[in-house]
Amino acid sequence: MDSPKENDINYADLTDENIINYENLIKEDEEKKPLVSEYDVIENYKVNYIDSEIFSKKINQLKNDCKGYRSVRKDGNCFYRSFSYKYFELINKNKNSKWSQEMKKIAKDSINVLTSVNFEKETIEDFYDFFMDAFDPQKFREISFVDEYTSNGIVFYLRLICSAELKINHEAYEMFLEEPLDSFISRQVEPLGRDVDNVQIMAIVNALKVCINIAYLDSTNNNVNWIKFGEEYQKDANSPVINLLFTPGHYDMLYHNDENV
Amino acid sequence: MNTTEGLNVTKRLQNELMQLMMAGIPGVSAFPESDNLLSWVGTIEGAPGTVYHGLSYKISLKFPVNYPYSAPTIKFTTPCFHPNVDSEGNICLDILKDKWSAVYNVQTILLSLQSLLGEPNNDSPLNTYAAQMWDKPEEFKKHVIKIHNSAN
C-alpha cells in the first residue's frame, strides 16, 4: 500500500481517526524501505512536503557543496542511524589514518565510560559488540546497517554514549533542558524512536570528539543554513566531517563534493 | 520474523534466563512457558511490610521479536487489586511504556513490579477505586485478599 498522496487527503474530513490511519499508512510504507538507502545524486533527493517548490530551490543550492545523499528510514532514530552510518563509513574508508585510529580508540574506550556511570557491563556488552563490529568493513557492509536487530543495537549503543556524556558533564547541558536530567534521559534519550534535539547532538559530538555539519532545509525563503557542531574537533582542513541533511522532522546523510564515494 | 532477528532475540532471552536462575533473587522468578522462548510465566511475591505480603501473583511476559528494543507485554494473570492494575491484569508502569530502555531486562521488570505493588503511583490509576482506598490499609487488604482468592 502506498502512503497517501497529497490529493488523496480530504482536508474537510480530517478526523482523529483519519489522521491516525494516514499515519499508519506512512509507517507501514516506511517499514518496507531499507534502513539505509543506496547512494544517489543530490538532484534526486525528494522532500515529502507540500510546498515542494521552495525545497527544490534549496536542493539546487545544496548542489554547490554536495553531490549526493543517502536516506535513512523515518522511524525516530534517523539522526542516530545517519550519524553512525557516516561515522563508520568515514573511518573504514581510510582505516589506517591518524583520525580513524583516534576515533576507534575513543569508541573502544566507550564501554569503560559507560560502566563508570553505572551501566552494567553484562547488560551493555551485546550492544557494544554490535557497535565495534561495524569497524570491520565487511560486517559494516553486510550486517551493521542491513540487519535490523544489529542496526538497532548500534543506534541504542549510541544513545547510551549520549546518555553517559550527559550524566558525566551534566553542568554543560542542564541549562538547555526543560526537565530534570534523569527524566530527560529516560524519556528522550534512551528509548528507541525518540528524535534528537541539539542537546543530544552536542553530547554525541563531545563524547566521540567528532565534527558534524548539518544543512538545514526549511520552508522559509532563506538560503540553506549550515550549522557545525564540534568545530573544535576538526583539527585541520583534512579531518573528516560528518555531513547531514535536516528537513523538517528528519535527518539524512549528505556527501560533500570533495568526498570520495 | 527474519532469521537473524529470531536468533538474536533467542540468544538474548537464553542469556537472561541463565542470569536470572543464577542470581536466585528471593520473591521473584520467571521461566519460559514452553519451548517458545518469547512467552514466559513469572511469579511475584508480595514484599514483607506491604499489604501484599504472603500473597503470590502470576504474570505473563510476551516478548516482541525486536526485544529488547521494544518492551515486552506484561500482564497479571492472578487477579490483582491495585491502583495501577486493571481488571484484565494490564499494568500501568512507565518503564514498560514510554520510559522503556533496552538496558532493562526480566530481572529489572520483576523487581519493579514487586516494588510497584507496595508503592503504587496513585496519580495515574487504572483502578480508581483501589487508588481511593489506598489510604485505608485494613479495608484495602481485605479487597486484595478477596480479589486474589477469586481466582481459585
Side-chain angles (χ1 to χ4, degrees):
Chain A
M1 213 182 296
D2 284 340
S3 49
K5 301 283 179 300
E6 171 60 8
N7 43 10
D8 292 343
I9 301 175
N10 178 358
Y11 285 97
D13 191 26
L14 271 188
T15 60
D16 284 354
E17 195 186 342
N18 281 338
I19 293 172
I20 290 166
N21 286 342
Y22 290 137
E23 278 181 358
N24 286 338
L25 279 174
I26 293 168
K27 216 173 137 191
E28 278 171 26
D29 209 34
E30 274 303 309
E31 280 168 4
K32 283 183 226 145
K33 291 184 188 162
L35 295 165
V36 175
S37 78
E38 294 292 324
Y39 174 85
D40 198 358
V41 290
I42 194 71
E43 288 83 348
N44 292 340
Y45 190 84
K46 298 271 181 305
V47 185
N48 284 329
Y49 290 94
I50 298 161
D51 191 7
S52 58
E53 202 179 303
I54 245 166
F55 284 111
S56 35
K57 202 177 92 192
K58 292 196 176 182
I59 299 287
N60 246 334
Q61 265 181 35
L62 262 186
K63 273 201 263 178
N64 300 328
D65 302 301
C66 295
K67 56 184 174 187
Y69 75 97
R70 273 180 206 269
S71 287
V72 299
R73 198 183 277 177
K74 296 185 174 76
D75 62 358
N77 298 310
C78 56
F79 175 83
Y80 296 93
R81 193 121 42 208
S82 295
F83 168 84
S84 51
Y85 188 94
K86 209 70 211 284
Y87 165 86
F88 289 116
E89 189 184 50
L90 284 170
I91 293 168
N92 291 344
K93 204 179 281 173
N94 196 354
K95 54 194 255 182
N96 295 321
S97 74
K98 194 167 164 256
W99 181 79
S100 296
Q101 296 297 325
E102 277 169 16
M103 290 295 113
K104 243 189 264 184
K105 187 175 177 299
I106 293 167
K108 204 172 165 219
D109 288 343
S110 65
I111 192 151
N112 301 324
V113 177
L114 266 60
T115 50
S116 79
V117 289
N118 295 330
F119 285 116
E120 281 175 39
K121 198 170 179 195
E122 296 73 39
T123 318
I124 57 175
E125 239 164 5
D126 285 353
F127 313 119
Y128 174 70
D129 290 344
F130 287 143
F131 195 85
M132 295 309 290
D133 279 351
F135 288 113
D136 173 333
Q138 192 186 353
K139 285 182 180 157
F140 169 71
R141 273 194 316 274
E142 294 171 5
I143 303 168
S144 303
F145 291 85
V146 179
D147 174 55
E148 196 164 333
Y149 203 88
T150 309
S151 186
N152 284 343
I154 292 171
V155 164
F156 182 64
Y157 192 72
L158 192 54
R159 287 176 180 275
L160 294 182
I161 288 178
C162 178
S163 162
E165 166 66 19
L166 290 170
K167 286 177 192 163
I168 293 168
N169 295 312
H170 57 94
E171 68 286 347
Y173 306 104
E174 265 162 344
M175 61 193 124
F176 302 107
L177 304 180
E178 285 164 11
E179 58 184 316
L181 184 69
D182 284 349
S183 147
F184 178 75
I185 287 174
S186 61
R187 280 177 193 285
Q188 306 298 341
V189 181
E190 288 184 14
L192 261 79
R194 295 300 149 76
D195 281 338
V196 288
D197 239 317
N198 286 357
V199 179
Q200 289 98 317
I201 299 178
M202 281 158 43
I204 288 170
V205 158
N206 290 331
L208 297 175
K209 304 202 186 328
V210 62
C211 175
I212 305 181
N213 201 6
I214 305 177
Y216 286 85
L217 266 67
D218 57 21
S219 54
T220 64
N221 267 314
N222 306 328
N223 291 340
V224 174
N225 190 20
W226 285 87
I227 297 180
K228 237 179 207 179
F229 292 84
E231 201 159 7
E232 65 269 36
Y233 303 119
Q234 191 191 12
K235 294 202 179 107
D236 56 75
N238 299 324
S239 318
V241 171
I242 294 176
N243 293 304
L244 301 177
L245 170 62
F246 180 80
T247 53
H250 187 62
Y251 288 91
D252 284 316
M253 290 168 243
L254 280 175
Y255 290 79
H256 214 260
N257 284 334
D258 54 17
E259 250 179 88
N260 297 322
V261 178
Chain B
M1 186 194 311
N2 114 16
T3 335
T4 12
E5 198 165 65
L7 283 176
N8 274 319
V9 70
T10 304
K11 185 174 150 246
R12 158 90 188 206
L13 287 169
Q14 279 167 341
N15 285 343
E16 283 207 30
L17 180 60
M18 186 68 82
Q19 279 174 21
L20 196 63
M21 288 167 73
M22 288 189 337
I25 305 152
V28 297
S29 63
F31 204 77
E33 199 169 16
S34 55
D35 49 5
N36 174 13
L37 217 53
L38 294 179
S39 179
W40 291 29
V41 173
T43 308
I44 295 166
E45 287 168 20
T50 71
V51 290
Y52 298 92
H53 185 211
L55 299 173
S56 158
Y57 288 91
K58 292 259 181 263
I59 57 166
S60 71
L61 304 93
K62 309 275 184 215
F63 299 92
V65 286
N66 60 347
Y67 176 79
Y69 307 118
S70 294
T73 306
I74 317 280
K75 273 186 175 194
F76 275 92
T77 49
T78 308
C80 180
F81 185 74
H82 185 278
N84 307 113
V85 180
D86 73 9
S87 58
E88 304 292 315
N90 299 307
I91 305 160
C92 180
L93 178 62
D94 55 3
I95 68 151
L96 296 176
K97 304 276 188 305
D98 62 335
K99 282 194 175 179
W100 171 256
S101 159
V103 292
Y104 297 142
N105 53 29
V106 177
Q107 187 175 321
T108 353
I109 293 169
L110 294 173
L111 291 172
S112 302
L113 287 175
Q114 194 184 39
S115 60
L116 181 73
L117 281 182
E119 295 158 32
N121 175 7
N122 281 316
D123 295 333
S124 61
L126 283 177
N127 181 341
T128 44
Y129 183 56
Q132 283 160 8
M133 203 187 290
W134 180 253
D135 292 332
K136 302 167 195 146
E138 281 177 26
E139 198 183 336
F140 193 94
K141 185 160 188 175
K142 276 183 202 156
H143 272 80
V144 166
I145 293 169
K146 191 176 141 208
I147 302 278
H148 179 272
N149 294 342
S150 69
N152 305 322

Short mmCIF file of all heavy atoms in Angstrom, two decimals, chain B residues 72-112:
data_model
loop_
_atom_site.label_atom_id
_atom_site.label_comp_id
_atom_site.label_asym_id
_atom_site.label_seq_id
_atom_site.Cartn_x
_atom_site.Cartn_y
_atom_site.Cartn_z
N PRO B 72 8.58 -5.77 26.50
CA PRO B 72 7.67 -6.91 26.48
C PRO B 72 6.29 -6.47 26.99
O PRO B 72 6.17 -5.43 27.61
CB PRO B 72 8.31 -7.89 27.47
CG PRO B 72 9.13 -7.04 28.38
CD PRO B 72 9.55 -5.84 27.58
N THR B 73 5.27 -7.28 26.69
CA THR B 73 3.93 -7.01 27.22
C THR B 73 3.75 -7.85 28.48
O THR B 73 3.89 -9.07 28.43
CB THR B 73 2.86 -7.40 26.18
OG1 THR B 73 3.18 -6.72 24.97
CG2 THR B 73 1.47 -6.99 26.64
N ILE B 74 3.48 -7.18 29.57
CA ILE B 74 3.38 -7.86 30.86
C ILE B 74 1.95 -7.73 31.39
O ILE B 74 1.36 -6.64 31.33
CB ILE B 74 4.32 -7.23 31.91
CG1 ILE B 74 5.69 -6.92 31.32
CG2 ILE B 74 4.40 -8.10 33.16
CD1 ILE B 74 6.61 -8.05 31.21
N LYS B 75 1.41 -8.84 31.90
CA LYS B 75 0.08 -8.80 32.49
C LYS B 75 0.05 -9.64 33.76
O LYS B 75 0.74 -10.66 33.84
CB LYS B 75 -0.94 -9.43 31.52
CG LYS B 75 -1.52 -8.48 30.52
CD LYS B 75 -2.60 -9.21 29.74
CE LYS B 75 -3.30 -8.27 28.80
NZ LYS B 75 -4.54 -8.84 28.29
N PHE B 76 -0.77 -9.20 34.71
CA PHE B 76 -1.04 -10.07 35.86
C PHE B 76 -2.05 -11.12 35.41
O PHE B 76 -3.09 -10.77 34.83
CB PHE B 76 -1.64 -9.25 37.01
CG PHE B 76 -0.60 -8.59 37.86
CD1 PHE B 76 -0.17 -7.29 37.59
CD2 PHE B 76 -0.04 -9.27 38.94
CE1 PHE B 76 0.79 -6.68 38.38
CE2 PHE B 76 0.93 -8.66 39.74
CZ PHE B 76 1.35 -7.37 39.46
N THR B 77 -1.76 -12.39 35.65
CA THR B 77 -2.76 -13.42 35.34
C THR B 77 -3.51 -13.83 36.61
O THR B 77 -4.60 -14.35 36.54
CB THR B 77 -2.13 -14.64 34.64
OG1 THR B 77 -1.00 -15.06 35.38
CG2 THR B 77 -1.69 -14.28 33.23
N THR B 78 -2.90 -13.58 37.77
CA THR B 78 -3.65 -13.71 39.03
C THR B 78 -4.38 -12.37 39.24
O THR B 78 -3.74 -11.33 39.11
CB THR B 78 -2.69 -13.94 40.22
OG1 THR B 78 -1.82 -15.02 39.91
CG2 THR B 78 -3.44 -14.22 41.50
N PRO B 79 -5.68 -12.40 39.56
CA PRO B 79 -6.38 -11.12 39.77
C PRO B 79 -5.69 -10.28 40.85
O PRO B 79 -5.34 -10.81 41.91
CB PRO B 79 -7.77 -11.55 40.22
CG PRO B 79 -7.94 -12.94 39.72
CD PRO B 79 -6.57 -13.56 39.74
N CYS B 80 -5.48 -9.02 40.55
CA CYS B 80 -4.70 -8.17 41.46
C CYS B 80 -5.43 -6.85 41.71
O CYS B 80 -5.67 -6.08 40.77
CB CYS B 80 -3.32 -7.91 40.85
SG CYS B 80 -2.28 -6.87 41.87
N PHE B 81 -5.78 -6.63 42.96
CA PHE B 81 -6.42 -5.36 43.35
C PHE B 81 -5.31 -4.36 43.63
O PHE B 81 -4.61 -4.47 44.65
CB PHE B 81 -7.30 -5.60 44.58
CG PHE B 81 -8.09 -4.38 45.00
CD1 PHE B 81 -9.20 -3.97 44.27
CD2 PHE B 81 -7.73 -3.66 46.14
CE1 PHE B 81 -9.94 -2.85 44.66
CE2 PHE B 81 -8.45 -2.55 46.53
CZ PHE B 81 -9.57 -2.14 45.79
N HIS B 82 -5.13 -3.41 42.71
CA HIS B 82 -4.01 -2.48 42.83
C HIS B 82 -4.33 -1.24 41.99
O HIS B 82 -4.90 -1.36 40.90
CB HIS B 82 -2.72 -3.14 42.32
CG HIS B 82 -1.49 -2.31 42.51
ND1 HIS B 82 -1.13 -1.30 41.65
CD2 HIS B 82 -0.53 -2.34 43.48
CE1 HIS B 82 0.00 -0.74 42.08
NE2 HIS B 82 0.38 -1.36 43.19
N PRO B 83 -3.95 -0.06 42.47
CA PRO B 83 -4.28 1.17 41.73
C PRO B 83 -3.79 1.18 40.28
O PRO B 83 -4.41 1.80 39.42
CB PRO B 83 -3.57 2.27 42.54
CG PRO B 83 -3.53 1.73 43.94
CD PRO B 83 -3.34 0.25 43.79
N ASN B 84 -2.66 0.51 39.99
CA ASN B 84 -2.11 0.58 38.64
C ASN B 84 -2.29 -0.70 37.82
O ASN B 84 -1.59 -0.94 36.83
CB ASN B 84 -0.62 0.95 38.70
CG ASN B 84 -0.38 2.20 39.50
OD1 ASN B 84 0.23 2.16 40.57
ND2 ASN B 84 -0.89 3.32 39.04
N VAL B 85 -3.26 -1.53 38.26
CA VAL B 85 -3.56 -2.76 37.52
C VAL B 85 -5.07 -2.78 37.26
O VAL B 85 -5.85 -2.54 38.18
CB VAL B 85 -3.15 -4.01 38.34
CG1 VAL B 85 -3.46 -5.28 37.56
CG2 VAL B 85 -1.67 -3.96 38.69
N ASP B 86 -5.46 -3.02 36.00
CA ASP B 86 -6.90 -3.04 35.74
C ASP B 86 -7.46 -4.46 35.87
O ASP B 86 -6.72 -5.40 36.17
CB ASP B 86 -7.23 -2.38 34.38
CG ASP B 86 -6.83 -3.24 33.19
OD1 ASP B 86 -6.44 -4.41 33.39
OD2 ASP B 86 -6.90 -2.73 32.05
N SER B 87 -8.77 -4.60 35.63
CA SER B 87 -9.40 -5.89 35.90
C SER B 87 -8.96 -6.97 34.90
O SER B 87 -9.16 -8.16 35.13
CB SER B 87 -10.92 -5.73 35.86
OG SER B 87 -11.29 -5.23 34.59
N GLU B 88 -8.31 -6.55 33.79
CA GLU B 88 -7.79 -7.53 32.83
C GLU B 88 -6.35 -7.92 33.15
O GLU B 88 -5.75 -8.73 32.44
CB GLU B 88 -7.80 -6.93 31.41
CG GLU B 88 -9.14 -6.43 30.91
CD GLU B 88 -10.12 -7.56 30.68
OE1 GLU B 88 -9.68 -8.57 30.08
OE2 GLU B 88 -11.27 -7.45 31.11
N GLY B 89 -5.79 -7.29 34.17
CA GLY B 89 -4.40 -7.58 34.52
C GLY B 89 -3.39 -6.66 33.84
O GLY B 89 -2.18 -6.80 34.03
N ASN B 90 -3.89 -5.71 33.03
CA ASN B 90 -2.97 -4.75 32.40
C ASN B 90 -2.33 -3.85 33.44
O ASN B 90 -2.96 -3.51 34.44
CB ASN B 90 -3.72 -3.87 31.39
CG ASN B 90 -4.33 -4.69 30.28
OD1 ASN B 90 -3.63 -5.47 29.63
ND2 ASN B 90 -5.63 -4.54 30.08
N ILE B 91 -1.09 -3.48 33.18
CA ILE B 91 -0.32 -2.73 34.17
C ILE B 91 0.08 -1.37 33.63
O ILE B 91 0.49 -1.26 32.47
CB ILE B 91 0.99 -3.50 34.52
CG1 ILE B 91 0.65 -4.92 34.97
CG2 ILE B 91 1.79 -2.76 35.58
CD1 ILE B 91 1.82 -5.88 34.86
N CYS B 92 -0.05 -0.34 34.47
CA CYS B 92 0.43 0.97 34.08
C CYS B 92 1.73 1.24 34.82
O CYS B 92 1.73 1.54 36.01
CB CYS B 92 -0.61 2.04 34.41
SG CYS B 92 -0.07 3.68 33.96
N LEU B 93 2.84 1.08 34.12
CA LEU B 93 4.15 1.31 34.73
C LEU B 93 5.04 1.96 33.67
O LEU B 93 5.22 1.41 32.58
CB LEU B 93 4.75 -0.03 35.21
CG LEU B 93 6.13 0.03 35.84
CD1 LEU B 93 6.15 0.88 37.10
CD2 LEU B 93 6.63 -1.38 36.17
N ASP B 94 5.60 3.16 34.01
CA ASP B 94 6.31 3.93 32.98
C ASP B 94 7.43 3.16 32.27
O ASP B 94 7.61 3.29 31.08
CB ASP B 94 6.82 5.27 33.54
CG ASP B 94 7.68 5.10 34.78
OD1 ASP B 94 7.94 3.95 35.18
OD2 ASP B 94 8.12 6.12 35.34
N ILE B 95 8.18 2.33 33.04
CA ILE B 95 9.31 1.66 32.37
C ILE B 95 8.85 0.60 31.37
O ILE B 95 9.62 0.12 30.55
CB ILE B 95 10.34 1.05 33.36
CG1 ILE B 95 9.73 -0.14 34.11
CG2 ILE B 95 10.90 2.09 34.30
CD1 ILE B 95 10.79 -1.16 34.51
N LEU B 96 7.58 0.23 31.44
CA LEU B 96 7.06 -0.72 30.43
C LEU B 96 6.45 0.02 29.25
O LEU B 96 6.01 -0.59 28.28
CB LEU B 96 6.01 -1.64 31.06
CG LEU B 96 6.51 -2.58 32.15
CD1 LEU B 96 5.36 -3.36 32.76
CD2 LEU B 96 7.56 -3.53 31.58
N LYS B 97 6.37 1.35 29.36
CA LYS B 97 5.76 2.15 28.30
C LYS B 97 6.78 3.16 27.77
O LYS B 97 7.75 2.76 27.16
CB LYS B 97 4.52 2.88 28.85
CG LYS B 97 3.46 1.95 29.48
CD LYS B 97 2.55 1.39 28.41
CE LYS B 97 1.35 0.62 28.92
NZ LYS B 97 1.58 -0.49 29.82
N ASP B 98 6.56 4.45 28.04
CA ASP B 98 7.40 5.47 27.39
C ASP B 98 8.80 5.59 27.98
O ASP B 98 9.66 6.25 27.42
CB ASP B 98 6.70 6.84 27.40
CG ASP B 98 6.44 7.34 28.80
OD1 ASP B 98 6.34 6.52 29.73
OD2 ASP B 98 6.33 8.56 28.97
N LYS B 99 9.05 4.94 29.12
CA LYS B 99 10.41 5.00 29.67
C LYS B 99 11.16 3.68 29.48
O LYS B 99 12.17 3.43 30.13
CB LYS B 99 10.37 5.37 31.16
CG LYS B 99 10.13 6.83 31.42
CD LYS B 99 10.44 7.13 32.87
CE LYS B 99 10.34 8.61 33.16
NZ LYS B 99 10.62 8.87 34.59
N TRP B 100 10.64 2.82 28.61
CA TRP B 100 11.33 1.56 28.36
C TRP B 100 12.72 1.82 27.78
O TRP B 100 12.89 2.69 26.93
CB TRP B 100 10.54 0.67 27.38
CG TRP B 100 11.35 -0.52 26.97
CD1 TRP B 100 11.99 -0.71 25.78
CD2 TRP B 100 11.65 -1.66 27.78
NE1 TRP B 100 12.66 -1.90 25.80
CE2 TRP B 100 12.48 -2.50 27.01
CE3 TRP B 100 11.30 -2.05 29.09
CZ2 TRP B 100 12.97 -3.72 27.50
CZ3 TRP B 100 11.80 -3.26 29.57
CH2 TRP B 100 12.61 -4.08 28.78
N SER B 101 13.71 1.10 28.27
CA SER B 101 15.06 1.19 27.72
C SER B 101 15.59 -0.21 27.54
O SER B 101 15.28 -1.11 28.33
CB SER B 101 15.95 1.96 28.70
OG SER B 101 17.31 1.66 28.44
N ALA B 102 16.40 -0.42 26.50
CA ALA B 102 16.94 -1.74 26.22
C ALA B 102 17.95 -2.21 27.27
O ALA B 102 18.41 -3.34 27.21
CB ALA B 102 17.57 -1.78 24.82
N VAL B 103 18.29 -1.36 28.23
CA VAL B 103 19.14 -1.86 29.33
C VAL B 103 18.32 -2.60 30.38
O VAL B 103 18.88 -3.26 31.24
CB VAL B 103 19.98 -0.77 30.04
CG1 VAL B 103 21.03 -0.21 29.12
CG2 VAL B 103 19.13 0.33 30.62
N TYR B 104 17.03 -2.47 30.33
CA TYR B 104 16.20 -3.22 31.29
C TYR B 104 16.12 -4.68 30.85
O TYR B 104 16.31 -5.00 29.68
CB TYR B 104 14.80 -2.63 31.37
CG TYR B 104 14.77 -1.22 31.90
CD1 TYR B 104 13.88 -0.28 31.39
CD2 TYR B 104 15.66 -0.81 32.90
CE1 TYR B 104 13.87 1.03 31.86
CE2 TYR B 104 15.64 0.49 33.38
CZ TYR B 104 14.75 1.41 32.85
OH TYR B 104 14.75 2.70 33.31
N ASN B 105 15.81 -5.56 31.80
CA ASN B 105 15.68 -6.97 31.48
C ASN B 105 14.61 -7.59 32.36
O ASN B 105 13.95 -6.86 33.14
CB ASN B 105 17.03 -7.67 31.65
CG ASN B 105 17.64 -7.43 33.03
OD1 ASN B 105 16.91 -7.23 34.00
ND2 ASN B 105 18.94 -7.42 33.10
N VAL B 106 14.45 -8.90 32.26
CA VAL B 106 13.38 -9.56 33.01
C VAL B 106 13.54 -9.30 34.51
O VAL B 106 12.58 -9.03 35.22
CB VAL B 106 13.37 -11.08 32.73
CG1 VAL B 106 12.32 -11.78 33.57
CG2 VAL B 106 13.11 -11.34 31.24
N GLN B 107 14.79 -9.37 34.95
CA GLN B 107 15.05 -9.15 36.37
C GLN B 107 14.61 -7.75 36.84
O GLN B 107 13.92 -7.61 37.85
CB GLN B 107 16.55 -9.33 36.61
CG GLN B 107 16.95 -9.29 38.06
CD GLN B 107 18.43 -9.62 38.21
OE1 GLN B 107 18.96 -10.48 37.51
NE2 GLN B 107 19.09 -8.92 39.10
N THR B 108 14.97 -6.72 36.05
CA THR B 108 14.55 -5.35 36.40
C THR B 108 13.02 -5.25 36.43
O THR B 108 12.46 -4.59 37.30
CB THR B 108 15.03 -4.30 35.36
OG1 THR B 108 15.88 -4.90 34.43
CG2 THR B 108 15.62 -3.11 36.00
N ILE B 109 12.38 -5.90 35.45
CA ILE B 109 10.92 -5.83 35.37
C ILE B 109 10.29 -6.47 36.60
O ILE B 109 9.40 -5.88 37.23
CB ILE B 109 10.41 -6.53 34.09
CG1 ILE B 109 10.87 -5.76 32.85
CG2 ILE B 109 8.88 -6.64 34.09
CD1 ILE B 109 10.65 -6.51 31.55
N LEU B 110 10.76 -7.67 36.95
CA LEU B 110 10.18 -8.37 38.10
C LEU B 110 10.34 -7.54 39.37
O LEU B 110 9.40 -7.39 40.15
CB LEU B 110 10.85 -9.74 38.28
CG LEU B 110 10.61 -10.77 37.16
CD1 LEU B 110 11.47 -12.00 37.39
CD2 LEU B 110 9.13 -11.17 37.09
N LEU B 111 11.54 -6.98 39.55
CA LEU B 111 11.77 -6.20 40.77
C LEU B 111 10.96 -4.90 40.77
O LEU B 111 10.46 -4.48 41.81
CB LEU B 111 13.27 -5.92 40.94
CG LEU B 111 14.11 -7.16 41.26
CD1 LEU B 111 15.60 -6.85 41.23
CD2 LEU B 111 13.73 -7.75 42.63
N SER B 112 10.81 -4.29 39.59
CA SER B 112 10.00 -3.07 39.51
C SER B 112 8.54 -3.37 39.83
O SER B 112 7.87 -2.58 40.49
CB SER B 112 10.06 -2.46 38.11
OG SER B 112 11.36 -2.18 37.76
#
